């Protein structure tokens, strides 16, 4: 998939209709925007159009309209928010549109309708509306990988750490879809087992009861179906309880971390005191340097003044010498010879007349006397001496010291302000302890319940096995049941084939993915890291101590290597080559140091067929000119509530 | 048609069916019932072909 155009109207701060055309020739599309201009808004627009989901400031919101636009509507008016993406996939053109319709209320506007459509251009260049657009998009661009396709450098790190297992499950599903393993998984689920009544094998098994008659058989069959239904229900209960437990464990970890890093009032006060002391030292240094600067100036005042006067005089004399420049080759001796009354001819051979002699003698007035020349040379020496007569670098050092110390003092003030804000927002320790106790208690209750479900499942399975044995004994061996048993045997062979194929392909794909990620990690990180990918596509990146990466920069690089490894692999596998995905990156380099950033930039063209990049920093020095495609800039008003998009890099 | 031929025929049929399903996704319950029924019908067809 390659995105050729994205358009929008009345989406958050983008009130007017606008569109961004993207490069589809492998070059990077760059969208520049300063802080608060709306880069993340546009980045979220992609996810809203594709999946109908937006997350602003970690919260999901339905109010996507421009607030100023909405304030100008009258009560009862309806208005729309629109987003559209045109893309190419497998040599076909598609156009995707999502629209929310709102009605203006007294206090707020309410969403009253939603439309989501996907059109495909047919061979006659006519657009044809497609059924089930959501499912088609899910297949073309699996939502399980959306955190990677739509990479947000700022929030990605925190989000992925919190999501943990949940995220791993989504990723596995997305990769199964990418590598077509979902087909095998679905086949295994549909063929099923004899004890699962809604599957092929389950239905075949129970059909034996229809062939053989008798009240005993009918009773056993009813028992089996009842047990199967209860087992299915228990399975669903177990799944939801385990999910709830995972949520509680996440809360517990988060609260425990907050308690571990909790700062009391005294801690804040202590930190504030340290910062204030540091600031005062910087301010004192600045004052001292200022005083030193004053001393230097007053001490050197005469030299500075004389030096300035001498420099000015030197300039004037120099100008005068320049102005009275004589023609080259004229000397006093030559003038004396030519103006002598006995000389009748010039050195060029022409005869000399009185008028010419007069003209030549005028040059004498322009020749400085010998004493003047030596005076000028003496003056030049003195001027040079006075010019160097004061300690220029000493004075400059004093000025730099004052500026540097003032800057450091300002930084301390900023940190003190941040500390004040953090203290205002910090939760109460008692609330945290109560939350932790509550989470621990809930986990304990869930554990008990999960244990009970497990016990019930085991009892039911024993009961089901016994009923199935009785059923086998009661369904007499005749020609009809023999035929069903043969079908069961055939389908069990089929199921075994799919299970083996899924195992083999999972191992093979995970192994190749591991190699691809490892090669990218080796290129991006200077320190050695080992990548392991399980057949379930869970990825671990560890150092020589078998610890997982901790720093945000490394975490970001690992995320790049992960999506890079997947995309690189899709490009290298012939039967998967049609599966290509765009990368839409918002502030992707914010956590990387300059070396890591350059390494990532160098690797991106190797794996991504299309890159759309949002940045507040100039990237024209990071990317080489031939790799930069279309460039756009977000232009926002001072209040940062109305923005528009313009082509070109407008800050140049 | 012997048993191993029937097995490979069923494998081919199911793979094709599941692939179609992935392209034209239906709701999960609907697709499950349809696919299970289609597989059982095909199994019935290939095993009764053999008897004739």
């Amino acid at each position: 998939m390659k995105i050729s155009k994205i358009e929008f109207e009345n989406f958050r701060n983008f009130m007017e209709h606008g569109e961004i055309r993207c490069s589809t020739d492998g070059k990077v599309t760059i969208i520049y925007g300063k802080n608060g201009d709306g880069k993340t808004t546009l980045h979220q627009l992609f996810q809203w159009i594709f999946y109908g989901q937006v997350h602003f400031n970690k919260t999901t919101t339905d109010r996507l309209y421009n607030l100023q636009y909405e304030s100008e509507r009258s009560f009862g008016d309806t208005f729309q928010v629109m987003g559209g993406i045109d893309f190419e996939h497998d040599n076909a053109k598609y156009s995707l549109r999502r629209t929310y319709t709102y009605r203006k209320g007294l206090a707020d506007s309410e969403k009253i309708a939603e439309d989501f459509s996907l059109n495909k251009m047919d061979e006659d260049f006519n657009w044809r509306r497609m059924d089930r657009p959501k499912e088609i998009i899910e297949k073309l661009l699996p939502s399980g990988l959306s955190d990677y396709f739509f990479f947000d450098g700022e929030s990605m790190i925190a989000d992925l750490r919190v999501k943990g297992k949940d995220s791993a499950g989504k990723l596995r599903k997305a990769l199964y879809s990418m590598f077509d393993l979902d087909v095998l998984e679905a086949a295994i689920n549909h063929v099923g087992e004899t004890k699962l009544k809604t599957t092929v094998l389950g239905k075949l098994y129970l059909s034996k009861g229809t062939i053989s008659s008798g009240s005993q058989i009918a009773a056993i069959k009813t028992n089996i179906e009842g047990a199967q239904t209860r087992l299915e229900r228990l399975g669903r209960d177990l799944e939801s309880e385990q999910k709830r437990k995972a949520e509680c464990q996440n809360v517990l970890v988060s609260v425990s971390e907050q308690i571990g890093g909790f700062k009391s009032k005294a801690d804040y006060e202590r930190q504030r005191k340290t910062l204030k002391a540091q600031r005062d030292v910087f301010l004192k240094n600045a004052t001292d340097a200022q005083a030193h600067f004053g001393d230097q100036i007053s001490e050197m005042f005469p030299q500075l003044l004389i030096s300035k006067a001498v420099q000015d005089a030197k300039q004037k004399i120099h100008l005068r010498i320049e102005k009275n420049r004589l023609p080259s080759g004229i000397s006093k001796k030559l003038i004396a010879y030519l103006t002598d009354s006995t000389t009748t001819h010039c050195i060029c051979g022409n005869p000399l007349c009185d008028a010419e002699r007069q003209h030549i003698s005028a040059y004498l007035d322009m020749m400085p006397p010998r004493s003047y020349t030596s005076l000028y040379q003496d003056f030049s020496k003195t001027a040079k001496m006075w010019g160097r007569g004061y300690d220029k670098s000493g004075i400059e050092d004093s000025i730099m010291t004052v500026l540097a110390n003032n800057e450091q003092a300002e930084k301390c003030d900023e940190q003190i302000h941040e500390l004040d804000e953090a203290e205002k927002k910090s939760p109460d320790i008692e609330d945290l302890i109560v939350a932790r106790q509550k989470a621990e208690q809930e986990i304990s209750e869930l554990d008990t319940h999960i244990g009970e479900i497990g016990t019930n499942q085991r009892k039911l399975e024993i009961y089901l096995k016994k009923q199935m044995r009785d059923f086998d004994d009661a369904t007499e061996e005749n020609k009809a049941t023999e035929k069903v048993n043969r079908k069961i045997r055939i389908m069990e062979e089929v199921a075994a084939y799919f299970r083996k194929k899924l195992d083999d392909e999972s191992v093979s794909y995970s192994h190749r993915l591991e190699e691809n990620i490892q090669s990218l990690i080796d290129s991006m990180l200077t320190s050695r890291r080992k990548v392991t990918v399980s057949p379930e596509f869970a990825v671990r990146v560890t150092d020589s101590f078998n610890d997982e990466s901790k720093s945000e920069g490394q975490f970001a690089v690992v995320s790049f290597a992960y999506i890079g490894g997947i995309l690189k692999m899709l490009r290298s596998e012939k039967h998967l080559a049609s599966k290509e995905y765009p990368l839409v990156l918002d502030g992707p380099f914010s956590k990387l140091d300059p070396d890591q950033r350059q390494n990532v930039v160098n690797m991106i063209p190797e794996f991504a067929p299309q890159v759309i990049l949002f940045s507040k920093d100039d990237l024209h020095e990071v990317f080489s000119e031939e790799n930069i495609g279309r460039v756009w800039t977000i232009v926002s008003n001072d209040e940062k509530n109305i923005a528009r998009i313009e082509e070109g890099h407008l800050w140049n | 048609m012997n048993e191993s031929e029937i097995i490979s025929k069923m494998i081919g049929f199911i793979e094709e069916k599941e692939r179609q399903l992935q392209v034209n996704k239906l709701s999960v319950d609907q697709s499950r019932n349809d696919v299970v029924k289609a597989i059982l019908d095909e199994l019935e067809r290939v095993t009764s072909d053999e008897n004739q």
Side-chain angles (χ1 to χ4, degrees):
Chain A
M1 175 194 284
K2 283 182 179 172
I3 295 171
S4 53
K5 186 177 83 174
I6 179 160
E7 63 178 315
F8 44 84
E9 187 164 0
N10 197 18
F11 184 78
R12 305 273 292 184
N13 41 349
F14 293 88
M15 186 164 82
E16 303 290 332
H17 176 271
E19 60 179 49
I20 299 170
R21 292 177 180 276
C22 306
S23 300
T24 55
D25 55 1
K27 292 182 176 179
V28 178
T29 302
I30 300 178
I31 298 153
Y32 286 114
K34 293 175 180 164
N35 283 341
D37 277 354
K39 291 191 300 298
T40 299
T41 296
L42 279 185
H43 186 252
Q44 289 277 329
L45 175 66
F46 282 87
Q47 299 212 54
W48 178 64
I49 297 170
F50 277 121
Y51 308 116
Q53 295 170 346
V54 280
H55 302 278
F56 291 107
N57 299 326
K58 308 277 187 298
T59 56
T60 307
T61 174
D62 253 353
R63 292 170 55 189
L64 298 175
Y65 46 78
N66 181 272
L67 294 173
Q68 183 173 320
Y69 180 88
E70 189 240 17
S71 70
E72 292 164 359
R73 301 306 103 193
S74 303
F75 173 71
D77 279 358
T78 59
F79 58 92
Q80 290 191 323
V81 173
M82 185 282 288
I85 287 178
D86 290 357
F87 63 89
E88 298 158 13
H89 181 76
D90 246 359
N91 297 323
K93 288 181 188 297
Y94 294 83
S95 186
L96 187 67
R97 289 283 174 283
R98 190 181 289 277
T99 310
Y100 280 4
T101 305
Y102 293 89
R103 178 180 291 128
K104 173 84 183 252
L106 284 171
D108 211 341
S109 290
E110 177 195 12
K111 189 173 87 175
I112 54 170
E114 181 176 342
D115 182 54
F116 181 54
S117 66
L118 177 65
N119 286 284
K120 183 180 182 181
M121 190 180 274
D122 65 17
E123 289 166 352
D124 301 324
F125 304 102
N126 294 318
W127 288 105
R128 192 167 55 82
R129 187 164 175 143
M130 304 191 73
D131 294 335
R132 294 185 291 276
K134 189 180 170 188
E135 285 79 4
I136 293 169
I137 290 299
E138 180 61 36
K139 191 66 189 167
L140 291 179
L141 199 66
S143 58
L145 277 167
S146 63
D147 283 335
Y148 291 92
F149 296 139
F150 304 101
F151 185 101
D152 178 348
E154 292 293 341
S155 68
M156 163 103 179
I157 313 301
D159 280 0
L160 280 186
R161 282 182 169 174
V162 171
K163 285 175 189 168
K165 277 185 176 173
D166 180 35
S167 174
K170 274 167 67 183
L171 287 173
R172 190 196 77 102
K173 197 176 162 194
L175 290 173
Y176 263 50
S177 170
M178 274 187 180
F179 301 143
D180 287 338
L181 299 178
D182 51 356
V183 168
L184 297 174
E185 194 175 46
I188 291 166
N189 284 335
H190 288 144
V191 174
E193 299 174 54
T194 49
K195 65 178 182 184
L196 301 172
K197 64 177 180 180
T198 56
T199 63
V200 170
L201 280 166
K203 281 181 185 293
L204 281 173
Y205 181 77
L206 287 174
S207 72
K208 289 202 288 188
T210 319
I211 297 161
S212 312
S213 56
S215 59
Q216 189 200 1
I217 290 174
I220 298 173
K221 189 181 168 191
T222 306
N223 290 343
I224 289 173
E225 286 179 321
Q228 287 174 333
T229 304
R230 273 177 289 162
L231 266 173
E232 279 176 10
R233 200 180 305 135
L234 283 173
R236 282 197 296 273
D237 288 352
L238 185 66
E239 201 176 317
S240 79
E241 295 292 82
Q242 281 172 334
K243 200 173 168 185
R244 178 78 196 115
K245 184 182 166 185
E247 285 167 7
C248 287
Q249 281 171 326
N250 279 339
V251 169
L252 187 63
V253 168
S254 160
V255 170
S256 299
E257 277 177 2
Q258 285 186 62
I259 291 173
F262 183 79
K263 280 197 280 202
S264 66
K265 261 190 177 322
D267 291 333
Y268 278 111
E269 200 44 59
R270 208 172 14 250
Q271 227 175 323
R272 200 178 284 119
K273 211 171 168 181
T274 308
L275 281 168
K276 280 181 176 170
Q278 282 177 356
R279 182 195 58 188
D280 292 345
V281 168
F282 286 128
L283 286 174
K284 188 178 178 323
N285 287 346
T287 311
D288 290 351
Q290 237 164 338
H292 183 58
F293 173 73
D295 292 345
Q296 283 176 307
I297 291 290
S298 54
E299 192 180 303
M300 295 180 199
F301 191 67
Q303 282 140 301
L304 282 165
L305 269 184
I306 294 166
S307 174
K308 177 82 173 78
V310 165
Q311 290 288 358
D312 289 350
K314 183 180 169 186
Q315 182 72 4
K316 282 175 190 164
I317 291 166
H318 202 68
L319 285 173
R320 196 174 150 196
I321 292 283
E322 287 291 312
K323 195 177 163 188
N324 295 342
R325 213 170 170 75
L326 288 163
S328 63
I330 295 262
S331 67
K332 277 186 177 177
K333 204 174 174 182
L334 179 62
I335 293 170
Y337 167 72
L338 290 172
T339 51
D340 191 293
S341 56
T342 58
T343 309
T344 55
H345 283 77
C346 179
I347 48 173
C348 60
N350 292 325
L352 281 167
C353 62
D354 285 346
E356 282 172 324
R357 283 200 185 92
Q358 230 171 353
H359 180 71
I360 291 166
S361 61
Y363 279 128
L364 271 176
D365 297 338
M366 294 167 71
M367 305 281 280
R370 172 76 198 131
S371 59
Y372 185 95
T373 309
S374 60
L375 180 75
Y376 174 69
Q377 283 168 350
D378 291 347
F379 175 78
S380 272
K381 276 182 201 165
T382 313
K384 271 182 187 168
M385 192 182 76
W386 281 110
R388 290 197 297 259
Y390 66 93
D391 180 6
K392 191 180 172 191
S393 66
I395 287 178
E396 282 178 353
D397 284 351
S398 295
I399 294 170
M400 296 306 284
T401 307
V402 172
L403 290 175
N405 276 287
N406 276 337
E407 196 179 322
Q408 290 296 334
E410 268 176 33
K411 274 186 185 168
C412 286
D413 273 334
E414 278 172 23
Q415 286 176 307
I416 291 168
H417 177 69
E418 282 170 13
L419 200 65
D420 292 344
E421 290 298 309
E423 188 178 17
K424 276 182 210 164
K425 288 177 189 168
S426 72
D428 192 286
I429 186 76
E430 285 178 10
D431 290 348
L432 288 174
I433 290 169
V434 168
R436 183 165 70 178
Q437 285 170 342
K438 205 174 150 188
E440 283 171 342
Q441 189 181 347
E442 192 161 356
I443 288 171
S444 158
E445 286 169 7
L446 284 165
D447 276 339
T448 308
H449 196 204
I450 287 168
E452 287 168 1
I453 292 173
T455 307
N456 288 337
Q457 275 181 320
R458 282 189 292 279
K459 281 181 185 169
L460 259 175
E461 276 170 0
I462 292 166
Y463 171 77
L464 182 61
K465 256 185 190 169
K466 187 183 177 310
Q467 291 296 316
M468 286 172 83
R469 262 201 310 273
D470 293 348
F471 188 69
D472 289 340
D473 294 341
T475 48
E476 57 205 77
E477 278 292 336
N478 58 28
K479 205 174 176 186
T481 53
E482 173 48 37
K483 196 179 164 189
V484 173
N485 282 337
R486 183 163 174 258
K487 282 180 180 173
I488 288 174
R489 212 166 43 238
I490 287 169
M491 290 316 291
E492 281 177 337
E493 287 285 337
V494 169
Y497 164 83
F498 282 125
R499 271 195 288 272
K500 185 175 180 327
K501 191 172 179 187
L502 179 62
D503 284 350
D504 291 350
E505 294 205 357
S506 299
V507 168
S508 166
Y509 277 124
S510 58
H511 184 64
R512 276 175 287 168
L513 183 59
E514 191 176 282
E515 286 175 352
N516 276 297
I517 296 176
Q518 183 74 63
S519 81
L520 286 174
I521 287 263
D522 290 346
S523 311
M524 291 178 185
L525 285 177
T526 43
S527 51
R528 177 78 184 145
R529 289 284 182 278
K530 183 170 168 34
V531 179
T532 47
V533 180
S534 77
E536 292 284 291
F537 298 111
V539 179
R540 282 193 84 215
V541 178
T542 50
D543 60 17
S544 51
F545 300 105
N546 203 25
D547 280 337
E548 297 209 44
S549 296
K550 292 286 192 299
S551 82
E552 294 195 324
Q554 287 190 352
F555 200 85
V557 169
V558 168
S559 302
F560 267 114
Y562 188 35
I563 188 66
I566 292 167
L567 296 179
K568 203 174 156 190
M569 188 168 148
L570 289 173
R571 294 185 105 179
S572 61
E573 305 274 333
K574 222 174 184 175
H575 66 293
L576 298 172
S578 69
K579 298 189 175 207
E580 53 175 24
Y581 303 95
L583 275 187
V584 183
L585 313 170
D586 181 12
F589 309 132
S590 60
K591 307 287 183 190
L592 305 184
D593 65 32
D595 283 348
Q596 288 174 334
R597 183 171 70 169
Q598 196 59 57
N599 288 339
V600 169
V601 163
N602 294 344
M603 298 306 289
I604 280 179
E606 201 177 296
F607 58 72
Q610 183 184 31
V611 176
I612 299 168
L613 226 161
F614 292 85
S615 179
K616 64 173 188 274
D617 305 315
D618 192 342
L619 297 175
H620 282 66
E621 285 174 13
V622 185
F623 283 95
S624 58
E625 208 57 51
E626 66 265 26
N627 284 332
I628 296 180
R630 300 189 84 142
V631 175
W632 301 79
T633 302
I634 301 171
V635 183
S636 182
N637 64 353
D638 289 342
E639 289 79 26
K640 304 282 187 193
N641 59 0
I642 303 282
R644 64 178 197 282
I645 190 91
E646 289 195 11
E647 185 153 25
H649 186 189
L650 303 184
W651 306 334
N652 280 338
Chain B
M1 210 182 322
N2 63 31
E3 209 158 279
S4 64
E5 283 174 322
I6 292 174
I7 289 168
S8 66
K9 208 172 171 61
M10 286 309 295
I11 286 169
F13 174 81
I14 293 171
E15 278 185 333
E16 182 55 33
K17 195 81 197 159
E18 297 290 1
R19 209 158 273 142
Q20 280 173 10
L21 189 75
Q22 290 298 329
V23 175
N24 310 306
K25 283 205 171 192
L26 296 161
S27 75
V28 172
D29 291 342
Q30 177 68 36
S31 66
R32 186 184 186 89
N33 291 336
D34 287 358
V35 173
V36 167
K37 188 176 181 312
I39 294 171
L40 285 167
D41 289 348
E42 178 67 5
L43 181 64
E44 180 58 36
R45 197 181 65 76
V46 293
T47 48
S48 54
D49 274 0
E50 180 193 27
N51 296 335
Q52 285 166 10

